Structure formats: C-alpha cells, structure tokens
Amino acid sequence: MASTQPQAAQPPAAHAHGTPQNPYSSASRWRHQESSSFSRHARAHQQHPDATTAQAQIDAAAPQGQRFNGEEPVSDGDAGEVVCGPLLNYCRMQDGHWEGSVLVVLNGGGQEQQGPAPTLSLQRLGARGQAAAEAAAAGEPASQIPGVRLYSDPRSTFWCFHVSVPMESAEIQYAYELPGLRFVSADKPQVNRFSIPAAGESMRLMFHSCNGFSVGTDEEAYSGTPLWKDVLRKHQAAPFHAMLGGGDQIYNDGIRVSGPLRPWTDISNPKKRRDFPFSETLRSECDDYYLKNYLRWYNTAPFAIANGQIPQINIWDDHDIIDGFGSYVNDFMTCDVFRGIGGTAHKYYMLFQHHLAPPVSTYTSDFRGEGTNPAQQVDTFVAEQSPGSQYIIGAKPGPYVAERSFNMYARLGARMAMLGIDARTERTRHQVNYPETYQLLYQRLRDELQAAASSEQPIDHLILLLGIPIAYPRLTWLENILRSPIIGPIKFMSRRFGIGGGLFNHFDGSVDLLDDLDDHYTAKTHKIERRELIEGMQKIAAEYNVRITILGGDVHLAALGRFYSNPKLKIPVEEDHRYMANIVSSAIVNKPPPQTVANLLARRNKIHHLNQQTDETMLDLFDRDPGSTPKTAGHNKCTMPSRNFAMIAENSPNNPALATTNGETETTSFVGKGGHAQMHKGEVGAGTEHRAATDAFGQGNDGSLDIRINVEKDQHNAEGPTQAYGLTVPVLRKTAAAGVVQ
C-alpha cells in the first residue's frame, strides 16, 4: 500500500500554504467514501475539506497578489470580471463546419442585462507551426461573435459564444480572446488557442474521468492535480481536438460534510433523514454551494488552462451530483432532499458542462403549485433552452432528477463518431436507462451511420462513451455477502452501539459498498440490461461495418477489457463485429484504490460468457509497473491502481506507410485464440514497448485506432510524468457475412 507521506519531489507551495496532512483520511476505502473517523472530524470544521490544498495550489501560481478564497474567485464587484472560464466545448460537425461554444461567467447580474453583451474575438491562425506564426504576424482579421446570455442572477451571469468555422484541407489553429473583460484568475491566458482537424482526418482524442478528490483524501500526498500538466505537455506536442469527460468532472460530495446538507447528514435515524423537507431556503443554500464549487474547481490550474484550449464533450456521473446518486434504495432516493439536489446539480451541469440554459426552477418541497416556482425567478433571467442537434434527449424525466436525459451523438472528424450515454439521469438501483431511451439511441445511430455510409466518408470507428466500465470483473460473490442475512445483526449492532459504523453509508443505512457495486454494469441487477446493450451495439457494428470502442471510468484504476466472438466460431478479430475494446481510464485526479483491491480484481479476471457467441475478459496490458515503486503483484498485468488518462488517435489512411508492424508478419494467424491470449496483431507486444506507446502513436496508415493509457509514475512528483501503455484496435474488415448477426 502506498504511503500517505511524500517520499520524493514535493508539490511547490502546497506544503508551505497548506495545513498538516489529514490524519483521518483512509487509504483503504474501496472507491468513494471517506473514513468514519474523518466524518466525525469534519463535522467540527466549517471549512470545505478541499479548500486549503486548492488554495495553496492557486496561490502558488497567482502573481501580483491575486488569490482565491478556496470556494470562489475573490472579486471587487466589477461586472466586467470573468470569475470563471473561458470553457471551450465541441458540439458537432455540420455542413462542412466545426461547431463549438465558449462559456464565461461574469461577476454579478440579475434579471436586467447589465451593459452591452460581451463579444468574443476569433482569429484564424492557419496551419499549426510556422504557418500559424506567419498568419498571426500578418494580422489576419478576426471575427467578432456576440455573447448569448444563458442565465443571470445577482451573483453571476453566464454568457455563451457559438463558434462555427469551416473545415479545411489542413489542420487549422484558431485563437480567441474576450476584449474588454478582466480575468480574476491569474492562471487564465488572455488569448487561448485550439485546433480543428483537417477535413479528411479524424480527431485526436483525450479521455478522462474522476476529475476531483473524494472527501477526506489527503491531497498533499497526491501532489494535487499534476496529470493535467502532462495533458497540456502532450497537447502542446500534438493538439487534442477534443477531450471526452466520462463523468465526475467535479466532486460535489463536500455538500454533505461541510456544506448545507451537513445537518441533514447528521440525522442518525434513516426515516427522519428520508422525511426531511427540501425547503426553498435549503435549495438556495445548496444552489450557492454548487455554484461556488464549480467556480472554485473550474478555476483550479492546470485544469483551468486545459478546459479553455481543448474542446470538451462531457457526460455526468454520481459525483457531479453527490456520491452514489441513483444507486441507493428507491424509498430513500425519492426523498425530498435527493430530489432537490438532483435538480440543483443538473442546473449547473447544464450550464458549466454543456453551455445550455437550465430549467427555470427546480424541485422544493414547499412549492406545490403548477409550473415554475416564482420564488426562484426573483431578479433572475433564464434563457429558453435550445439544445443543438448533437443531443438525443430522453422521452420522459428521470425517476429522481425531474429532467430528461441528455445523450449525445457527434462526428469526430472524417471517419470517427461518438455516442455518449447519459447513464445518471434515468438511473435507479435496478436500471441504468429506460428501454425507450435505448431505442432512441439505436435509431439515431442507424440514421447517422446510414447517412455516412451513403456519403464519401463512411464512419469506420464509433466511440461509445459510458460513465462506468462495462467489460469488467464481476464481484457477484461480494454482492451476495453484503446482501446476506449475516449483515442484519451487524447493522443492528451499528445502530445501537456504533460497532462496524464505517461499514454502512450515511444515507440509507445500507452497506457502504453496495452503492458502488450497484452502480456497475456487471452488478446482478443490471445483468440483463448490460447484455442487451452490448448485443444492440453488436447488431449496429455488423449492419454498418463500424468498429465500436468503449470508454469507461469511475473505478479509479486503468484496465482494458474486451468483448469478442467465442473462439469456437473461428472469426478473426479483423472480421469480428463482436470485438469491442473497453478502455478503462480513471482517475485523472482522485486517489487510486489500494494494491490489494487491484490484485483482487485481477484474480477475478476470468473468461465470462455474455451469450453463446460472445466472450469477455481483460487484456494483460501492463507489462511492468510505471515507476520504481511496485503498484501490483507479479500475477497482475491487467489492472493498474495509479492515476491515469487515455489518448486515442486514428492511424489515418492518409499517412505514409510505416516500416514495421510490431514485429508480426501478415501471415500470423490468431484464429481460435481466447481472451487470455493475444487475439490480433494490434495486441502483440501490448504495453510499454508497443508502437502506440512511442512517438509513432497515431502514425500508422491502416485505419486502425492507436490506444494509449498514460499512467502516473510517482504521485509525489508535482510535474506528473507518466508511463505510456499502448495497443491498437483494428478496423472492422467487411466480409461476405457482414450485416448478419447470429
């Protein structure tokens, strides 16, 4: 188990400005929850548990006396102050144009607009490199884009700028700035740049999840957020055209430890806690908490730098609301407080992560009238919501968040596309999404893939973005134990005498790990839904000859799962529509699980049978540990408990040919190989020596996808150096049997 004390390089200024390390933090919890001793400790302190370390990190980088208070930027009341942003999003490709948006949050506001709308100045710099410098020097004229006011109340105003630029024959770089506005954050550059791919190329992608610390984590022991520095280094070398956020882009769990829900959390009786009202006063306090936490986190460097330069595409997960949201028992999830914070968190998720106007009002227990709550419209402006064509919106509201799900389809350049499933809005302990939502998703995919197939640029690769891994070890045996009758007496002793208190969560009194296990697609309660989702995607892969690759986060370790045809069927991977790699990349910020947990999961890496035609297991990707300190047992080559993020790039058919093919000849046969063996040439040598782990990443020309997981070498190094592990996913080669699914 890793030490909680820094052993090597220490993060600058964090020790000088921070407080002593938290003596109550737990290094052995499964995934989310803080230790029970820390919970008791935190109740005696009003300060947000993340504030001190975040303060030190920002203070260290902020010149000229500009500082943050740990929750939101310190402001002097100037309405021209940018208190958050710019935040850059990618939306879609349409009519030969790249379309995105930029969001800024200004200080102050209200129902009436204060002064003229701000403008965004956008300048085409030209091709990246020397040509861009020459274009900038030549002073190519900039276009002025007027801001659209999304939301405004006396605290802040959200302005959105819609960007549409033509795709060209070469990769083009743009610069943008906000003339006349002043940034409170000293970390934000006045001019930001981003790149869009050539019209004939697919996007270079970065994938991340769990972008924050669980409550109670000793942040000093993890040097803050250094992997974002590595993201920016790699972006500088070869720009990412989009970064996919797989959920938990922000951790809002502190709302119940040192925020307005602490008195509610302190109620020991689950029934009284369930019946607690969510009044307009409490809603207002929670609203203020979510706003301030977003302002604090989205202003924290280096993440704040990245989200102004790399276009984002995000789905959400439980921590964007509160830990375990959706996976507690139904009686508790329908309580007023959970319904209330679900709506409030959704409001700021829409604004910060999607650049969309929120609903006019959200749930409270003391408003029983029809329509919107007038108490929430006092001195407040809310624009009419106008989601773009990239969204696939659920047909009905979720069971606990009274809003419809926002799923996304977007083309990612010439030969790639993505489908992001909102697996939180409709989630319960027994479902991930409504059946009607899956039908909407499948129909949209078929429409888009058919249109692409009929065009000059069919789609070869589809990225399926999920919040939770779907090809992952089962822990049914642990679920059975935690639900067995032996837990009853322990729960009784916990209520009466406090024995085993850390085993049970602070909400519904259930076993603490069950909300995590019930969140997983591999949970018993989601078994049928999981199988139907994979089978539905298999049909689409076969019908449209598209290779599907899955992204999933949440579990705080790195892994690579695969679905594939049963070896008895003798189908080579290049012709196997059932072959889907599940890239598991998590967390980019949060602490990893203990080595013992990762090693236990590796022991559970059996070959499972999804159905008669489909098997699944994880790949032995990690040929060695990333640094000098052992992370895993000698037998464990498939789970890596270190912070990480992933990169994806197409080996474009427009690239010149490479001289080598990973040491494999074209005549090597993998037919009949099972999941514990290398199943195709792209898996040969997977790990640190693979071509995708070198500077040749994305430089091939066979249309395959290079996958790289960048794993932190040393949690105590504030610069965040990583070790690369690579493999390649082949295109789906069309055969006579294509389009036929057994």
Side-chain angles (χ1 to χ4, degrees):
M1 185 179 297
S3 167
T4 58
Q5 297 291 333
Q7 301 293 327
Q10 296 179 348
H15 290 273
H17 295 277
T19 58
Q21 293 179 358
N22 165 28
Y24 303 95
S25 63
S26 169
S28 62
R29 302 294 286 187
W30 181 269
R31 190 166 66 98
H32 300 307
Q33 293 285 347
E34 75 278 5
S35 66
S36 55
S37 55
F38 177 75
S39 297
R40 293 190 296 269
H41 163 74
R43 290 179 188 129
H45 296 77
Q46 291 292 333
Q47 186 180 18
H48 190 288
D50 295 339
T52 304
T53 304
Q55 168 79 43
Q57 292 169 343
I58 298 170
D59 282 357
Q64 301 175 352
Q66 296 184 39
R67 296 292 182 260
F68 289 81
N69 66 6
E71 288 188 332
E72 59 179 327
V74 175
S75 168
D76 62 9
D78 181 2
E81 289 179 329
V82 178
V83 295
C84 190
L87 311 177
L88 177 64
N89 273 15
Y90 169 65
C91 297
R92 59 187 175 272
M93 288 172 55
Q94 187 164 296
D95 299 328
H97 282 66
W98 180 102
E99 297 190 2
S101 59
V102 174
L103 180 83
V104 294
V105 186
L106 300 189
N107 178 60
Q111 189 169 35
E112 300 300 323
Q113 182 172 316
Q114 299 181 357
T119 60
L120 180 141
S121 180
L122 180 71
Q123 183 178 32
R124 179 186 180 278
L125 299 181
R128 186 168 59 92
Q130 185 62 34
E134 292 173 356
E140 189 165 328
S143 57
Q144 306 301 313
I145 300 173
V148 176
R149 192 167 60 136
L150 298 180
Y151 176 85
S152 183
D153 64 29
R155 300 166 301 172
S156 55
T157 301
F158 291 75
W159 289 96
C160 180
F161 306 87
H162 298 289
V163 178
S164 179
V165 294
M167 308 284 288
E168 302 184 35
S169 60
E171 179 182 20
I172 300 297
Q173 190 174 68
Y174 282 84
Y176 69 92
E177 59 182 321
L178 296 155
L181 300 182
R182 182 175 66 82
F183 291 94
V184 172
S185 170
D187 297 319
K188 280 289 188 178
Q190 294 296 312
V191 178
N192 284 274
R193 297 185 179 191
F194 65 95
S195 295
I196 65 171
E201 301 294 350
S202 300
M203 293 186 178
R204 285 186 296 272
L205 305 175
M206 185 275 256
F207 168 63
H208 68 91
S209 67
C210 301
N211 180 41
F213 286 110
S214 294
V215 173
T217 302
D218 185 349
E219 297 176 28
E220 279 191 29
Y222 289 91
S223 306
T225 61
L227 262 63
W228 281 108
K229 294 183 180 179
D230 197 52
V231 170
L232 289 173
R233 286 192 294 267
K234 290 175 168 56
H235 177 62
Q236 181 67 27
F240 296 116
H241 300 120
M243 60 179 180
L244 308 182
D248 299 339
Q249 277 70 250
I250 185 172
Y251 276 57
N252 286 314
D253 305 334
I255 193 171
R256 68 176 179 83
V257 175
S258 58
L261 292 189
R262 196 183 86 183
W264 173 72
T265 306
D266 286 345
I267 300 173
S268 59
N269 185 303
K271 184 179 185 301
K272 291 182 179 179
R273 197 181 307 118
R274 183 193 64 193
D275 296 338
F276 195 88
F278 192 75
S279 65
E280 175 59 29
T281 298
L282 182 55
R283 185 214 61 82
S284 178
E285 293 171 351
C286 289
D287 186 286
D288 206 48
Y289 178 91
Y290 280 109
L291 173 62
K292 289 179 178 179
N293 202 37
Y294 265 102
L295 293 178
R296 178 189 66 83
W297 186 246
Y298 275 68
N299 272 307
T300 300
F303 174 54
I305 309 299
N307 58 36
Q309 300 180 358
I310 309 174
Q312 303 170 76
I313 307 172
N314 295 327
I315 60 174
W316 67 341
D317 205 33
D318 57 339
H319 290 284
D320 297 278
I321 310 171
I322 198 170
D323 178 33
F325 188 95
S327 290
Y328 298 111
V329 297
N330 183 69
D331 284 349
F332 192 71
M333 284 302 313
T334 54
C335 76
D336 284 346
V337 170
F338 265 32
R339 292 174 66 186
I341 62 171
T344 308
H346 176 269
K347 169 183 176 178
Y348 289 107
Y349 170 61
M350 287 288 103
L351 283 166
F352 280 94
Q353 299 197 43
H354 289 281
H355 305 180
L356 291 175
V360 176
S361 64
T362 59
Y363 175 83
T364 62
S365 54
D366 50 10
F367 176 70
R368 304 296 182 182
E370 296 293 329
T372 57
N373 187 343
Q376 297 177 36
Q377 300 175 55
V378 176
D379 201 14
T380 298
F381 167 82
V382 184
E384 182 177 350
Q385 192 177 78
S386 56
S389 61
Q390 70 270 26
Y391 290 106
I392 308 161
I393 302 175
K396 59 182 179 181
Y400 311 132
V401 178
E403 304 296 337
R404 296 190 291 171
S405 62
F406 272 65
N407 312 275
M408 289 173 289
Y409 173 88
R411 189 143 185 171
L412 302 176
R415 290 167 293 276
M416 291 173 59
M418 62 84 63
L419 175 70
I421 298 182
D422 176 351
R424 190 55 52 181
T425 302
E426 298 172 359
R427 178 182 290 270
T428 72
R429 201 163 198 162
H430 300 284
Q431 78 172 22
V432 181
N433 287 98
Y434 295 133
E436 301 93 324
T437 297
Y438 287 117
Q439 295 309 310
L440 289 172
L441 299 179
Y442 297 150
Q443 187 59 55
R444 176 64 177 271
L445 278 180
R446 287 185 164 90
D447 291 345
E448 295 284 355
L449 293 173
Q450 181 61 53
S454 302
S455 72
E456 296 180 356
Q457 289 188 329
I459 292 170
D460 292 335
H461 292 277
L462 176 68
I463 305 296
L464 178 61
L465 178 60
L466 304 175
I468 309 285
I470 197 165
Y472 197 68
R474 289 149 173 76
L475 292 171
T476 304
W477 60 274
L478 183 55
E479 292 182 71
N480 291 337
I481 291 174
L482 297 180
R483 287 193 170 93
S484 70
I486 66 172
I487 293 296
I490 300 175
K491 185 182 293 188
F492 173 78
M493 297 292 284
S494 173
R495 288 199 303 263
R496 291 294 299 272
F497 307 110
I499 297 174
L503 181 63
F504 303 98
N505 67 54
H506 299 287
F507 290 146
D508 62 357
S510 298
V511 177
D512 194 26
L513 294 182
L514 276 176
D515 71 294
D516 292 341
L517 297 177
D518 285 336
D519 245 13
H520 286 202
Y521 280 102
T522 51
K524 287 195 301 183
T525 54
H526 300 316
K527 182 178 179 179
I528 295 175
E529 184 176 354
R530 172 182 184 266
R531 175 176 55 79
E532 291 176 345
L533 171 58
I534 295 302
E535 290 175 346
M537 299 307 292
Q538 288 176 345
K539 291 178 181 178
I540 288 173
E543 288 171 21
Y544 298 98
N545 205 64
V546 61
R547 175 70 72 197
I548 296 176
T549 299
I550 306 167
L551 304 180
D554 180 77
V555 292
H556 299 182
L557 50 75
L560 198 291
R562 304 107 91 219
F563 296 99
Y564 52 92
S565 286
N566 189 314
K568 295 179 181 179
L569 298 175
K570 303 293 185 181
I571 302 175
V573 165
E574 290 79 5
E575 300 173 9
D576 184 9
H577 63 276
R578 300 185 184 93
Y579 181 88
M580 302 178 191
N582 183 182
I583 304 163
V584 182
S585 182
S586 169
I588 193 169
V589 170
N590 209 352
K591 66 181 180 182
Q595 297 174 30
T596 52
V597 171
N599 295 335
L600 170 65
L601 289 168
R603 292 288 191 193
R604 304 300 303 170
N605 184 30
K606 313 295 184 181
I607 292 180
H608 296 281
H609 307 290
L610 181 81
N611 54 35
Q612 289 185 340
Q613 293 82 32
T614 310
D615 287 355
E616 57 180 287
T617 193
M618 290 195 293
L619 174 69
D620 283 343
L621 176 62
F622 305 104
D623 53 326
R624 63 183 176 88
D625 285 327
S628 58
T629 303
K631 302 291 185 184
T632 59
H635 69 83
N636 182 5
K637 304 297 182 185
C638 62
T639 62
M640 179 56 65
S642 295
R643 296 189 291 185
N644 63 90
F645 64 93
M647 297 162 50
I648 303 170
E650 180 195 37
N651 289 298
S652 169
N654 300 319
N655 290 340
L658 287 178
T660 62
T661 58
N662 254 6
E664 282 296 307
T665 65
E666 294 296 330
T667 59
T668 300
S669 175
F670 298 90
V671 174
K673 296 289 186 180
H676 285 324
Q678 296 163 341
M679 299 181 62
H680 59 90
K681 67 179 183 179
E683 290 184 355
V684 174
T688 57
E689 302 301 320
H690 194 278
R691 180 183 56 80
T694 71
D695 290 341
F697 174 79
Q699 299 302 306
N701 71 343
D702 61 357
S704 61
L705 288 187
D706 272 356
I707 309 296
R708 177 192 289 180
I709 300 180
N710 301 282
V711 177
E712 185 176 41
K713 291 183 177 180
D714 180 2
Q715 71 183 54
H716 308 303
N717 188 331
E719 295 306 307
T722 58
Q723 175 67 59
Y725 300 84
L727 78 152
T728 299
V729 172
V731 292
L732 182 57
R733 192 164 60 214
K734 192 169 185 177
T735 67
V740 179
V741 183
Q742 298 178 355

